[in-house]
Amino acid sequence: MWVVAEAFALEGITVEYGFFPWARAFPQSTTNDWDGTIEWADTPRHRETHYVSAAYLSKQDWVFFYCQDRPFDWDNIEDLKGKVIGLTIGYAYSDIFDALRQSERAIFDEAPNDELNFRKLLAGRIDIFPIERRVGYTIMAKIFSEEERAKIT
């Protein structure tokens, strides 16, 4: 966020930030409720209405979380065949996921937020949950006991 604030400050513009669920943040920036939004994936849909910079503002490490009692090992997208994959509504996932969804080789189960996807993972309702590594561990630390967190990797 500081990069954006500093860039605008060089032009004499003060940035005001609002924090919203991802599913609400993007639409709010297309209806002029807010002037912009940051940290979105570069997708054709996003480019229709927004400027997407060529340089990334942050490095993200996306991983699959899964329960240790249901081991998950993969080398390529074909290894996801038959898996129930938890996704969060409003997030932009890769084109590979879109192709996988269209091929019907995997089952996608969407939830309104990341916390619910982690709860589904613990309950055995989904097999894997893709999320940025640091975000995932931060969410788990807030909602689960140490014993529950130990079951997820």
Side-chain angles (χ1 to χ4, degrees):
M1 291 187 340
W2 68 270
V3 171
V4 173
E6 289 294 319
F8 278 99
L10 291 173
E11 297 299 320
I13 300 169
T14 302
V15 175
E16 175 188 345
Y17 288 100
F19 297 90
F20 308 97
W22 286 104
R24 230 174 55 206
F26 192 81
Q28 284 184 323
S29 69
T30 61
T31 60
N32 295 327
D33 291 334
W34 287 83
D35 296 319
T37 181
I38 61 172
E39 294 288 327
W40 287 90
D42 184 1
T43 68
R45 177 178 163 247
H46 293 154
R47 284 192 174 277
E48 286 176 13
T49 55
H50 291 72
Y51 169 78
V52 180
S53 66
Y56 291 107
L57 295 177
S58 66
K59 182 183 181 320
Q60 297 185 353
D61 184 22
W62 282 74
V63 298
F64 289 116
F65 280 87
Y66 61 93
C67 284
Q68 293 191 34
D69 65 344
R70 293 184 311 278
F72 171 69
D73 187 28
W74 73 294
D75 290 314
N76 60 58
I77 205 72
E78 288 301 315
D79 294 334
L80 302 180
K81 183 179 178 181
K83 297 292 182 192
V84 179
I85 303 170
L87 300 180
T88 302
I89 296 169
Y91 284 17
Y93 292 94
S94 72
D95 294 341
I96 293 169
F97 270 58
D98 292 340
L100 188 63
R101 185 188 303 248
Q102 290 174 356
S103 74
E104 299 181 357
R105 291 180 301 213
I107 301 161
F108 291 91
D109 185 333
E110 293 185 305
N113 57 59
D114 298 329
E115 179 180 332
L116 187 53
N117 272 314
F118 276 113
R119 292 191 187 284
K120 286 180 176 183
L121 194 61
L122 267 183
R125 292 178 47 204
I126 61 175
D127 297 313
I128 55 177
F129 175 43
I131 189 171
E132 202 282 330
R133 182 188 308 268
R134 289 170 296 176
V135 172
Y137 281 114
T138 299
I139 291 169
M140 287 195 313
K142 289 180 182 178
I143 64 173
F144 292 133
S145 67
E146 188 174 328
E147 182 181 313
E148 289 170 317
R149 288 193 309 266
K151 296 177 182 179
I152 299 175
T153 190

